[in-house]
Amino acid sequence: IERRYDDFFQLYKNLTESCPQAMTKFTFPEKKYFGNTSPEVIEERRHHLEQMLQGVVRCEEIVLEKSSFLWKFLECAGECVLIARCFCQKDRLRYVNKLPQVLEEKYKEERWRLNDEGVIRIILSVLDPGALPDAAGNPAEVAAAQLLEAIVRSSEEGQQYFLQHHGLRVVFSAMLQRVEVVGPEAGPREEYRRVIAALLSKLGDRFGIALHS
């Protein structure tokens, strides 16, 4: 994506107006009216703007900013923005709860993003009873299980990350937590059964090894 100095300045101005406190950490390179086309000035400016951009994409307040100035500047599609916002601690459950929309047919070309190791870790963290003691009251519980089923079914890479980060243990723990909180009459969620069934169908005889790893 090509951007001019003025484009960066407009981004800086928009973010400063919408997130004034967060933007105090960043400065904008001063425009030089003489010698501004020299290689040294261009390289210095490029480095400064790159550092600023790397900083703002790591700032939760800016990532979650409602006007999406950053994402419009980067020309990111809505599903990419949604995935990025799942990495923020604030409102994480709300964004993970929306994430199954990426499984819709119209987003099929973007589903590969769900197989990212970081995304899988975020989804598993939502189900981790250690992180969320009241699993029965977790608004993103069903969404997380649906996402894990899709990941396990569609990608060997996703399966590996799921197992590497103890996905089976997390799912079984979440199932037990639900029974403890709601009561044995509730039983495990069907979505959890589907995650396990999907993994079993993909791993076959290797499922036993995964179960004890």
Coordinates of all heavy atoms in Angstrom, one line a residue, residues 61-140:
E61 N -6.3 1.1 22.4 CA -7.3 2.2 22.3 C -7.4 2.5 20.8 O -8.5 2.8 20.3 CB -6.8 3.4 23.1 CG -7.9 4.5 23.0 CD -7.4 5.7 23.8 OE1 -6.5 5.7 24.6 OE2 -8.1 6.8 23.6
I62 N -6.3 2.6 20.1 CA -6.4 2.9 18.7 C -6.9 1.7 17.8 O -7.7 2.0 16.9 CB -5.0 3.3 18.2 CG1 -4.6 4.6 18.8 CG2 -4.9 3.4 16.6 CD1 -3.1 5.0 18.6
V63 N -6.5 0.5 18.2 CA -7.0 -0.7 17.4 C -8.6 -0.8 17.6 O -9.3 -1.2 16.6 CB -6.4 -1.9 18.0 CG1 -7.1 -3.2 17.5 CG2 -4.9 -2.0 17.6
L64 N -9.1 -0.4 18.8 CA -10.5 -0.5 19.0 C -11.3 0.8 18.7 O -12.5 0.8 18.8 CB -10.7 -0.8 20.5 CG -10.2 -2.2 21.0 CD1 -10.3 -2.3 22.5 CD2 -10.8 -3.3 20.3
E65 N -10.6 1.8 18.3 CA -11.2 3.1 18.0 C -12.4 3.0 17.0 O -12.2 2.3 15.9 CB -10.1 4.1 17.5 CG -10.6 5.5 17.2 CD -10.9 5.7 15.7 OE1 -10.2 5.0 14.9 OE2 -11.8 6.4 15.5
K66 N -13.5 3.6 17.3 CA -14.8 3.3 16.6 C -14.8 3.8 15.1 O -15.4 3.2 14.3 CB -16.0 3.9 17.3 CG -16.3 3.2 18.7 CD -17.5 3.8 19.3 CE -17.8 3.1 20.6 NZ -19.0 3.7 21.3
S67 N -14.1 4.9 14.9 CA -14.1 5.4 13.5 C -13.2 4.6 12.6 O -13.2 4.8 11.3 CB -13.7 6.8 13.5 OG -14.6 7.6 14.2
S68 N -12.4 3.7 13.1 CA -11.5 2.8 12.3 C -10.6 3.6 11.4 O -10.3 3.1 10.3 CB -12.3 1.8 11.5 OG -13.1 1.0 12.4
F69 N -10.0 4.7 11.9 CA -9.1 5.5 11.0 C -7.9 4.7 10.6 O -7.5 4.7 9.5 CB -8.7 6.7 11.8 CG -9.8 7.8 11.9 CD1 -10.1 8.2 13.2 CD2 -10.4 8.3 10.8 CE1 -11.1 9.2 13.4 CE2 -11.4 9.3 11.0 CZ -11.8 9.7 12.2
L70 N -7.4 3.9 11.6 CA -6.2 3.1 11.3 C -6.5 2.1 10.2 O -5.7 1.9 9.3 CB -5.7 2.4 12.5 CG -4.5 1.4 12.4 CD1 -3.3 2.1 11.8 CD2 -4.2 0.7 13.7
W71 N -7.6 1.4 10.3 CA -7.9 0.3 9.4 C -8.3 0.8 8.0 O -8.0 0.1 7.0 CB -9.0 -0.6 10.0 CG -8.7 -1.0 11.4 CD1 -9.3 -0.7 12.6 CD2 -7.6 -1.9 11.8 NE1 -8.7 -1.3 13.6 CE2 -7.6 -2.1 13.2 CE3 -6.6 -2.6 11.0 CZ2 -6.7 -2.8 13.8 CZ3 -5.7 -3.3 11.7 CH2 -5.7 -3.5 13.1
K72 N -8.9 2.0 8.0 CA -9.2 2.5 6.7 C -7.9 3.0 6.0 O -7.7 2.8 4.8 CB -10.1 3.8 6.8 CG -11.5 3.4 7.3 CD -12.3 4.6 7.6 CE -13.7 4.2 8.1 NZ -14.5 5.4 8.6
F73 N -6.9 3.5 6.8 CA -5.6 3.9 6.2 C -4.9 2.6 5.7 O -4.3 2.7 4.6 CB -4.8 4.5 7.3 CG -3.4 4.9 6.9 CD1 -3.1 6.0 6.3 CD2 -2.4 4.0 7.2 CE1 -1.8 6.4 5.9 CE2 -1.1 4.3 6.9 CZ -0.8 5.5 6.2
L74 N -5.0 1.5 6.4 CA -4.4 0.3 5.9 C -5.2 -0.5 4.9 O -4.7 -1.6 4.4 CB -4.1 -0.6 7.2 CG -3.1 0.0 8.2 CD1 -3.0 -0.9 9.4 CD2 -1.7 0.1 7.6
E75 N -6.4 -0.1 4.7 CA -7.3 -0.7 3.7 C -7.6 -2.2 4.1 O -7.6 -3.1 3.3 CB -6.8 -0.7 2.3 CG -6.7 0.7 1.7 CD -6.2 0.7 0.3 OE1 -6.0 -0.3 -0.3 OE2 -6.0 1.8 -0.3
C76 N -7.8 -2.4 5.4 CA -8.1 -3.7 6.0 C -9.6 -4.0 5.9 O -10.4 -3.1 6.2 CB -7.6 -3.8 7.4 SG -5.9 -3.9 7.6
A77 N -10.0 -5.2 5.5 CA -11.4 -5.6 5.4 C -11.9 -5.8 6.8 O -11.1 -6.0 7.8 CB -11.5 -6.9 4.6
G78 N -13.2 -5.8 6.9 CA -13.9 -5.9 8.2 C -13.5 -7.1 9.0 O -13.3 -7.1 10.2
E79 N -13.4 -8.3 8.3 CA -13.0 -9.5 9.0 C -11.6 -9.5 9.6 O -11.3 -10.0 10.7 CB -13.2 -10.8 8.2 CG -12.4 -10.8 6.9 CD -12.9 -10.1 5.7 OE1 -13.9 -9.3 5.9 OE2 -12.4 -10.3 4.6
C80 N -10.7 -8.8 8.9 CA -9.3 -8.6 9.4 C -9.3 -7.8 10.6 O -8.6 -8.0 11.6 CB -8.4 -8.0 8.3 SG -8.3 -9.0 6.8
V81 N -10.1 -6.7 10.6 CA -10.2 -5.8 11.8 C -10.8 -6.6 13.0 O -10.3 -6.4 14.1 CB -11.1 -4.6 11.4 CG1 -11.3 -3.7 12.7 CG2 -10.5 -3.8 10.3
L82 N -11.8 -7.4 12.7 CA -12.4 -8.2 13.8 C -11.4 -9.1 14.4 O -11.3 -9.2 15.7 CB -13.6 -9.0 13.2 CG -14.3 -9.9 14.2 CD1 -14.9 -9.1 15.4 CD2 -15.5 -10.6 13.5
I83 N -10.6 -9.8 13.6 CA -9.6 -10.7 14.1 C -8.5 -9.9 14.9 O -8.1 -10.3 16.0 CB -8.9 -11.5 13.0 CG1 -9.9 -12.5 12.4 CG2 -7.7 -12.2 13.5 CD1 -9.4 -13.2 11.2
A84 N -8.1 -8.8 14.4 CA -7.1 -8.0 15.1 C -7.6 -7.5 16.5 O -6.9 -7.5 17.5 CB -6.7 -6.8 14.3
R85 N -8.9 -7.2 16.5 CA -9.5 -6.7 17.8 C -9.6 -7.8 18.8 O -9.7 -7.5 20.0 CB -10.8 -6.0 17.5 CG -10.6 -4.6 16.9 CD -11.9 -4.0 16.5 NE -11.7 -2.6 16.0 CZ -12.6 -1.8 15.5 NH1 -13.8 -2.2 15.2 NH2 -12.2 -0.5 15.2
C86 N -9.6 -9.0 18.4 CA -9.7 -10.1 19.3 C -8.4 -10.2 20.2 O -8.4 -10.8 21.3 CB -9.9 -11.5 18.6 SG -11.5 -11.7 17.9
F87 N -7.3 -9.6 19.7 CA -6.1 -9.7 20.4 C -6.0 -8.7 21.6 O -5.1 -8.7 22.4 CB -4.9 -9.4 19.5 CG -4.5 -10.6 18.6 CD1 -5.1 -10.8 17.5 CD2 -3.5 -11.4 19.1 CE1 -4.8 -11.9 16.7 CE2 -3.1 -12.5 18.3 CZ -3.8 -12.8 17.1
C88 N -7.0 -7.8 21.6 CA -7.1 -6.8 22.7 C -7.8 -7.4 23.9 O -8.8 -8.1 23.8 CB -7.8 -5.5 22.2 SG -7.1 -4.7 20.8
Q89 N -7.3 -7.1 25.1 CA -7.9 -7.6 26.3 C -9.3 -7.0 26.5 O -10.2 -7.7 26.9 CB -7.0 -7.2 27.5 CG -5.7 -8.0 27.6 CD -5.9 -9.5 28.0 OE1 -7.0 -9.8 28.5 NE2 -4.9 -10.3 27.7
K90 N -9.4 -5.7 26.2 CA -10.7 -5.1 26.4 C -11.7 -5.6 25.4 O -11.5 -5.7 24.2 CB -10.6 -3.5 26.2 CG -11.9 -2.8 26.4 CD -11.7 -1.3 26.2 CE -13.0 -0.5 26.4 NZ -12.8 0.9 26.2
D91 N -12.9 -6.0 25.9 CA -14.0 -6.5 25.1 C -13.6 -7.7 24.3 O -14.2 -8.0 23.2 CB -14.5 -5.4 24.2 CG -15.2 -4.3 24.9 OD1 -15.7 -4.5 26.0 OD2 -15.2 -3.1 24.4
R92 N -12.6 -8.5 24.7 CA -12.2 -9.7 23.9 C -13.3 -10.6 23.7 O -13.5 -11.1 22.6 CB -11.0 -10.4 24.6 CG -10.7 -11.7 23.9 CD -9.4 -12.3 24.5 NE -8.2 -11.5 24.2 CZ -7.0 -11.7 24.7 NH1 -6.8 -12.7 25.5 NH2 -6.0 -10.9 24.3
L93 N -14.1 -10.9 24.7 CA -15.2 -11.9 24.6 C -16.2 -11.4 23.5 O -16.8 -12.2 22.8 CB -15.9 -12.1 25.9 CG -15.1 -12.8 27.0 CD1 -16.0 -13.0 28.3 CD2 -14.5 -14.1 26.6
R94 N -16.5 -10.1 23.5 CA -17.4 -9.6 22.5 C -17.0 -9.8 21.1 O -17.7 -10.2 20.2 CB -17.7 -8.1 22.8 CG -18.7 -7.4 21.9 CD -19.2 -6.1 22.4 NE -18.1 -5.1 22.4 CZ -18.0 -4.2 21.4 NH1 -18.7 -4.3 20.3 NH2 -17.0 -3.3 21.5
Y95 N -15.7 -9.6 20.9 CA -15.2 -9.7 19.5 C -15.0 -11.2 19.1 O -15.3 -11.5 18.0 CB -13.8 -9.0 19.4 CG -14.0 -7.5 19.4 CD1 -13.6 -6.7 20.4 CD2 -14.6 -6.9 18.3 CE1 -13.8 -5.3 20.4 CE2 -14.9 -5.5 18.3 CZ -14.4 -4.7 19.3 OH -14.6 -3.4 19.3
V96 N -14.6 -12.0 20.1 CA -14.6 -13.5 19.7 C -16.0 -14.0 19.5 O -16.1 -14.8 18.6 CB -13.9 -14.2 20.9 CG1 -14.0 -15.8 20.7 CG2 -12.4 -13.9 21.0
N97 N -16.9 -13.5 20.2 CA -18.3 -13.9 19.9 C -18.8 -13.5 18.5 O -19.7 -14.2 18.0 CB -19.2 -13.2 21.0 CG -20.5 -13.9 21.1 OD1 -20.6 -15.1 21.0 ND2 -21.6 -13.2 21.5
K98 N -18.2 -12.5 17.9 CA -18.6 -12.1 16.6 C -17.8 -12.9 15.5 O -18.1 -12.9 14.3 CB -18.3 -10.6 16.4 CG -19.2 -9.7 17.2 CD -18.9 -8.2 16.9 CE -19.8 -7.3 17.6 NZ -19.4 -5.8 17.3
L99 N -16.7 -13.5 15.9 CA -15.7 -14.1 15.0 C -16.3 -15.2 14.1 O -15.8 -15.3 13.0 CB -14.5 -14.6 15.7 CG -13.2 -14.7 15.0 CD1 -12.9 -13.4 14.2 CD2 -12.0 -15.0 15.9
P100 N -17.3 -16.0 14.5 CA -17.8 -17.0 13.6 C -18.4 -16.4 12.3 O -18.6 -17.2 11.4 CB -18.9 -17.6 14.5 CG -18.4 -17.5 15.9 CD -17.8 -16.1 15.9
Q101 N -18.6 -15.1 12.2 CA -19.0 -14.6 10.9 C -18.0 -14.8 9.8 O -18.3 -14.9 8.6 CB -19.4 -13.1 11.0 CG -18.2 -12.2 11.1 CD -18.6 -10.7 11.3 OE1 -19.5 -10.4 12.1 NE2 -17.9 -9.8 10.6
V102 N -16.7 -15.0 10.2 CA -15.7 -15.3 9.2 C -15.9 -16.7 8.6 O -15.4 -17.0 7.5 CB -14.3 -15.3 9.9 CG1 -13.2 -15.5 8.9 CG2 -14.1 -13.9 10.5
L103 N -16.7 -17.5 9.2 CA -17.0 -18.9 8.7 C -18.1 -18.8 7.6 O -18.4 -19.8 7.0 CB -17.5 -19.8 9.8 CG -16.5 -20.0 11.0 CD1 -17.1 -20.9 12.0 CD2 -15.2 -20.6 10.5
E104 N -18.7 -17.6 7.4 CA -19.7 -17.5 6.4 C -19.1 -17.7 5.0 O -17.9 -17.4 4.8 CB -20.4 -16.1 6.5 CG -21.2 -16.0 7.8 CD -21.8 -14.6 8.0 OE1 -21.8 -13.8 6.9 OE2 -22.2 -14.2 9.1
E105 N -19.9 -18.1 4.1 CA -19.4 -18.4 2.7 C -18.8 -17.2 2.1 O -17.7 -17.4 1.4 CB -20.6 -18.9 1.9 CG -20.2 -19.3 0.5 CD -19.3 -20.5 0.4 OE1 -19.3 -21.3 1.4 OE2 -18.7 -20.7 -0.6
K106 N -19.3 -16.0 2.3 CA -18.7 -14.9 1.6 C -17.3 -14.5 2.1 O -16.6 -13.7 1.5 CB -19.6 -13.6 1.8 CG -19.9 -13.2 3.2 CD -20.8 -12.0 3.3 CE -21.1 -11.6 4.7 NZ -22.1 -10.5 4.8
Y107 N -16.9 -15.1 3.2 CA -15.6 -14.8 3.8 C -14.6 -16.0 3.6 O -13.6 -16.0 4.2 CB -15.6 -14.4 5.3 CG -16.4 -13.2 5.6 CD1 -17.5 -13.2 6.4 CD2 -16.1 -12.0 5.0 CE1 -18.2 -12.1 6.7 CE2 -16.8 -10.8 5.2 CZ -17.9 -10.9 6.1 OH -18.6 -9.7 6.4
K108 N -15.0 -17.0 2.8 CA -14.2 -18.2 2.7 C -12.8 -18.0 2.3 O -11.9 -18.8 2.7 CB -14.9 -19.2 1.7 CG -14.9 -18.8 0.3 CD -15.6 -19.8 -0.6 CE -15.7 -19.4 -2.0 NZ -16.3 -20.5 -2.9
E109 N -12.5 -16.9 1.5 CA -11.1 -16.6 1.1 C -10.3 -16.1 2.3 O -9.1 -16.0 2.2 CB -11.1 -15.6 0.0 CG -11.8 -16.1 -1.3 CD -11.2 -17.4 -1.9 OE1 -9.9 -17.5 -1.8 OE2 -11.9 -18.2 -2.4
E110 N -10.9 -15.7 3.4 CA -10.2 -15.1 4.5 C -10.1 -16.1 5.7 O -9.5 -15.7 6.7 CB -10.9 -13.8 4.9 CG -11.0 -12.8 3.9 CD -9.7 -12.3 3.4 OE1 -8.7 -12.3 4.3 OE2 -9.5 -11.8 2.3
R111 N -10.7 -17.3 5.6 CA -10.7 -18.2 6.7 C -9.4 -18.7 7.1 O -9.2 -19.1 8.3 CB -11.6 -19.4 6.4 CG -13.1 -19.1 6.3 CD -13.9 -20.3 5.9 NE -15.2 -20.0 5.5 CZ -16.0 -20.8 4.8 NH1 -15.6 -22.0 4.4 NH2 -17.2 -20.4 4.4
W112 N -8.4 -18.6 6.2 CA -7.1 -19.1 6.6 C -6.5 -18.3 7.8 O -5.6 -18.8 8.5 CB -6.1 -18.9 5.4 CG -6.0 -17.5 4.9 CD1 -6.7 -16.9 3.9 CD2 -5.0 -16.6 5.3 NE1 -6.3 -15.6 3.8 CE2 -5.2 -15.4 4.6 CE3 -3.9 -16.6 6.2 CZ2 -4.4 -14.2 4.7 CZ3 -3.1 -15.5 6.4 CH2 -3.4 -14.3 5.7
R113 N -7.0 -17.1 8.0 CA -6.5 -16.2 9.1 C -6.8 -16.9 10.4 O -6.1 -16.6 11.4 CB -7.1 -14.9 9.0 CG -6.8 -14.1 7.7 CD -7.4 -12.7 7.7 NE -7.3 -12.1 6.4 CZ -6.2 -11.4 6.0 NH1 -5.2 -11.3 6.8 NH2 -6.2 -10.8 4.8
L114 N -7.8 -17.7 10.5 CA -8.2 -18.4 11.8 C -7.1 -19.4 12.2 O -7.1 -19.8 13.3 CB -9.6 -19.0 11.6 CG -10.8 -18.1 11.4 CD1 -12.0 -18.9 11.2 CD2 -10.9 -17.2 12.6
N115 N -6.3 -19.9 11.2 CA -5.3 -20.9 11.5 C -4.0 -20.3 12.1 O -3.1 -21.0 12.3 CB -5.0 -21.7 10.3 CG -6.3 -22.4 9.8 OD1 -7.0 -23.0 10.6 ND2 -6.5 -22.4 8.5
D116 N -4.0 -19.0 12.2 CA -2.8 -18.3 12.8 C -2.7 -18.8 14.3 O -3.7 -18.9 15.0 CB -3.0 -16.8 12.8 CG -1.9 -16.1 13.5 OD1 -0.9 -15.9 12.8 OD2 -2.1 -15.7 14.6
E117 N -1.5 -19.1 14.7 CA -1.2 -19.6 16.0 C -1.7 -18.6 17.1 O -2.3 -19.0 18.1 CB 0.3 -19.8 16.2 CG 0.6 -20.4 17.6 CD 2.1 -20.7 17.7 OE1 2.9 -20.3 16.9 OE2 2.4 -21.4 18.7
G118 N -1.5 -17.3 16.9 CA -2.0 -16.4 17.8 C -3.5 -16.3 18.0 O -4.0 -16.2 19.1
V119 N -4.2 -16.5 16.9 CA -5.6 -16.5 16.9 C -6.1 -17.7 17.7 O -7.1 -17.6 18.5 CB -6.2 -16.5 15.5 CG1 -7.7 -16.6 15.5 CG2 -5.8 -15.2 14.8
I120 N -5.5 -18.8 17.4 CA -5.9 -20.1 18.1 C -5.7 -20.0 19.6 O -6.5 -20.4 20.4 CB -5.2 -21.3 17.5 CG1 -5.7 -21.5 16.1 CG2 -5.4 -22.5 18.3 CD1 -4.9 -22.6 15.3
R121 N -4.6 -19.4 20.0 CA -4.3 -19.2 21.4 C -5.4 -18.3 22.0 O -5.8 -18.5 23.2 CB -2.9 -18.6 21.6 CG -1.8 -19.5 21.2 CD -0.4 -18.9 21.4 NE -0.2 -18.5 22.8 CZ 0.9 -17.9 23.2 NH1 1.8 -17.6 22.3 NH2 1.1 -17.6 24.5
I122 N -5.8 -17.2 21.3 CA -6.8 -16.3 21.8 C -8.1 -17.1 22.0 O -8.8 -17.0 23.1 CB -7.0 -15.1 20.9 CG1 -5.8 -14.2 20.8 CG2 -8.3 -14.4 21.2 CD1 -5.5 -13.5 22.1
I123 N -8.5 -17.9 21.1 CA -9.8 -18.6 21.1 C -9.7 -19.6 22.3 O -10.7 -19.7 23.1 CB -10.0 -19.4 19.8 CG1 -10.3 -18.4 18.7 CG2 -11.3 -20.3 20.0 CD1 -10.3 -19.0 17.3
L124 N -8.6 -20.3 22.5 CA -8.4 -21.2 23.6 C -8.5 -20.5 24.9 O -9.0 -21.0 25.9 CB -7.2 -22.0 23.5 CG -7.1 -23.1 22.3 CD1 -5.7 -23.7 22.2 CD2 -8.1 -24.2 22.6
S125 N -7.9 -19.3 25.0 CA -7.9 -18.6 26.2 C -9.3 -18.2 26.7 O -9.6 -18.1 27.9 CB -7.0 -17.3 26.1 OG -7.7 -16.3 25.3
V126 N -10.2 -18.0 25.7 CA -11.6 -17.7 26.0 C -12.3 -18.9 26.8 O -13.1 -18.7 27.6 CB -12.3 -17.4 24.7 CG1 -13.8 -17.3 25.0 CG2 -11.9 -16.0 24.2
L127 N -11.8 -20.1 26.4 CA -12.5 -21.3 27.0 C -11.7 -21.8 28.3 O -12.2 -22.7 29.0 CB -12.5 -22.4 26.0 CG -13.4 -22.3 24.8 CD1 -13.3 -23.5 23.9 CD2 -14.9 -22.1 25.3
D128 N -10.5 -21.2 28.5 CA -9.7 -21.7 29.7 C -10.4 -21.4 31.0 O -10.6 -20.2 31.4 CB -8.4 -21.0 29.6 CG -7.4 -21.6 30.6 OD1 -7.8 -22.4 31.5 OD2 -6.2 -21.2 30.6
P129 N -10.9 -22.4 31.7 CA -11.5 -22.2 33.0 C -10.6 -21.4 34.0 O -11.1 -20.7 34.9 CB -11.8 -23.6 33.5 CG -11.9 -24.4 32.3 CD -10.8 -23.8 31.4
G130 N -9.3 -21.5 33.9 CA -8.4 -20.8 34.7 C -8.5 -19.3 34.5 O -8.3 -18.5 35.4
A131 N -8.8 -18.9 33.3 CA -8.9 -17.5 32.9 C -10.3 -17.0 33.2 O -10.5 -15.8 33.5 CB -8.5 -17.3 31.5
L132 N -11.3 -17.9 33.0 CA -12.7 -17.5 33.2 C -13.3 -18.5 34.1 O -13.9 -19.5 33.6 CB -13.4 -17.5 31.8 CG -12.9 -16.4 30.8 CD1 -13.4 -16.7 29.4 CD2 -13.4 -15.0 31.3
P133 N -13.3 -18.3 35.4 CA -13.8 -19.3 36.3 C -15.3 -19.7 36.1 O -15.6 -20.8 36.3 CB -13.7 -18.6 37.7 CG -12.6 -17.6 37.5 CD -12.7 -17.1 36.0
D134 N -16.1 -18.7 35.7 CA -17.5 -19.0 35.5 C -17.7 -19.3 34.0 O -18.2 -18.5 33.2 CB -18.4 -17.9 35.9 CG -19.9 -18.2 35.8 OD1 -20.2 -19.4 35.5 OD2 -20.7 -17.3 36.1
A135 N -17.3 -20.5 33.5 CA -17.4 -20.9 32.1 C -18.9 -20.9 31.6 O -19.2 -20.6 30.5 CB -16.8 -22.2 31.9
A136 N -19.8 -21.2 32.6 CA -21.2 -21.2 32.2 C -21.7 -19.8 31.8 O -22.7 -19.7 31.0 CB -22.1 -21.8 33.3
G137 N -21.1 -18.8 32.3 CA -21.5 -17.4 32.0 C -20.7 -16.8 30.9 O -20.7 -15.6 30.8
N138 N -19.9 -17.5 30.2 CA -19.0 -17.0 29.2 C -19.8 -16.7 27.9 O -20.2 -17.7 27.2 CB -17.9 -18.0 28.9 CG -16.9 -17.6 27.9 OD1 -17.1 -16.5 27.3 ND2 -15.9 -18.3 27.7
P139 N -20.0 -15.5 27.5 CA -20.8 -15.2 26.3 C -20.2 -15.7 25.0 O -20.9 -15.8 24.0 CB -20.9 -13.7 26.4 CG -19.7 -13.2 27.1 CD -19.5 -14.3 28.1
A140 N -18.9 -15.9 25.0 CA -18.2 -16.3 23.8 C -17.9 -17.8 23.8 O -17.2 -18.3 22.9 CB -16.9 -15.6 23.6

